[in-house]
Structure formats: structure tokens, C-alpha cells
Amino acid sequence: MVKAYTQEYTYKHPWERVTSASWKKFADPENKRTLSHILEVDTLNHKLDPSTGKLYTTRAITVHSPGPWFVRKIVRQDVCHCVESTVVDAKERSMQLTTNNISLEKFIEVEEKIRYDPHPENPDGWTICRQETSIRIKPLSALASMAEKVEQRCAERFVQNSAKGREVMERICKYLEAESKGLARS
């Protein structure tokens, strides 16, 4: 069984500002209170392809295990390690992030894809964010008998955390907007 969902959100900010906010999302100490499920973020590598102009980045993200408390008891782990791969194509104005869990993958597979593109109705002023998440309990794991319930609880937690992430992104975008207006007046 796989629990999957898709969310779309429109930022009323240009693509350049939203993607800048995405990079700053985990760095600001104020955001750490809102995103308390994120324990650590480390950049593993980054590379700019000179022929295409694309930026490739890989980050390790450590989070509180997203499932319900009884799942953490079964798997004997309170944290989950994830790998986020990001591709930024500034020429096409596209940013794609794909995050997969790696430490709990023998029990549960989670893949999250986020894409930021200029909004088709207002490409210079708005950015559309599309998020796809799939959660799958492994069929032979200790969680198999309650897979559907665990997938649902994990999905609910992901939806809650996504809302927190959007709140942080909006706050950073507003800060960047104010900063750019202040610089423009100088």
C-alpha cells in the first residue's frame, strides 16, 4: 500500500525570491522553532555544471521520525536521516528538490518532490510550488499489519510540517522583499 498526496501553493513572490528563501529556510534560528522537527542540515556537495548552468546540490537532513510514537518504539529510532537532491536551472527558472529517507528505509519509504516554477498566470510576480509525497510501509516489516494507519498518520504529519515550511518560506520572502526595497532606496 502506498499513501500519496499532492499539494500546490502559490507564493505571491517572484521565483528568484522564493528560491532564495528555500536555501535560507533551515539556516535562520527563528525558523528552527517553527521547524522543530528538523534537527540538522548539512551540505554534502554542490556542483555548477558550466555547460548547462545548472546547480546540483546534495544535503543530508536529520529529522525527528515522522511517524506516530508506536512506530518509533517498533523501529527503535527517534530520528530519520534523509538525503535531499536539488537541481536549480536559473535559465529555465526551475528548482526541483527530491528528498528520500535512508535510515528507516527497511521499514518505510518516503519520497518528497518539490518543484518551484514561475506561476503561469503571473510569471514575473508569483511562484507555484508543487509538492508530491509518497509513503510506503514495507510489506514484510513489523509494521505491515498496521501499514495503512501508519501511512495515514505519517501523511498527516507531512501535511502539518509542509504548512510550517510554507509559513517559514513566506516569512523569509517578506524579509527579502523588504530588504530589497530598502536597498533600492539607498
Side-chain angles (χ1 to χ4, degrees):
M1 174 116 198
V2 175
K3 179 71 178 172
Y5 67 92
T6 302
Q7 299 182 88
E8 278 193 8
Y9 183 78
T10 299
Y11 290 97
K12 304 274 172 110
H13 301 279
W15 180 84
E16 292 79 6
R17 185 178 302 141
V18 172
T19 54
S20 292
S22 178
W23 291 114
K24 297 173 184 281
K25 183 164 79 172
F26 301 127
D28 189 319
E30 184 177 330
N31 299 338
K32 290 183 181 190
R33 285 191 296 272
T34 305
L35 302 174
S36 59
H37 63 288
I38 305 291
L39 301 175
E40 193 170 338
V41 178
D42 295 300
T43 300
L44 302 177
N45 64 50
H46 54 89
K47 178 184 117 180
L48 181 62
D49 183 334
S51 64
T52 64
K54 292 181 181 179
L55 173 65
Y56 297 88
T57 303
T58 305
R59 299 194 294 183
I61 302 175
T62 304
V63 299
H64 281 290
S65 291
W69 66 269
F70 58 87
V71 172
R72 292 190 298 272
K73 287 284 191 197
I74 292 170
V75 300
R76 296 188 179 124
Q77 208 168 332
D78 285 341
V79 298
C80 179
H81 301 285
C82 304
V83 172
E84 175 193 82
S85 301
T86 304
V87 179
V88 180
D89 186 341
K91 290 177 189 172
E92 295 295 321
R93 296 175 74 204
S94 175
M95 181 177 189
Q96 300 175 57
L97 301 89
T98 302
T99 307
N100 293 282
N101 68 309
I102 56 171
S103 63
L104 298 174
E105 63 186 354
K106 68 181 179 179
F107 297 106
I108 184 170
E109 290 178 349
V110 178
E111 180 177 69
E112 178 183 52
K113 293 180 179 184
I114 298 175
R115 184 177 171 111
Y116 299 103
D117 294 298
H119 196 286
E121 293 175 22
N122 185 355
D124 293 325
W126 298 349
T127 304
I128 189 159
C129 171
R130 291 181 181 94
Q131 177 186 11
E132 299 174 16
T133 304
S134 65
I135 301 162
R136 184 172 79 86
I137 300 296
K138 295 286 186 110
L140 299 175
S141 74
L143 306 174
S145 64
M146 53 186 147
E148 190 172 340
K149 186 179 283 188
V150 172
E151 288 169 350
Q152 181 62 38
R153 294 283 300 273
C154 288
E156 289 167 2
R157 181 74 59 91
F158 272 89
V159 169
Q160 291 169 353
N161 289 339
S162 294
K164 291 177 184 179
R166 287 190 301 273
E167 175 187 325
V168 165
M169 290 281 290
E170 284 287 358
R171 186 170 45 240
I172 295 170
C173 284
K174 287 176 183 169
Y175 171 80
L176 292 171
E177 180 180 30
E179 187 179 67
S180 70
K181 286 179 180 177
L183 291 175
R185 286 186 212 141
S186 300

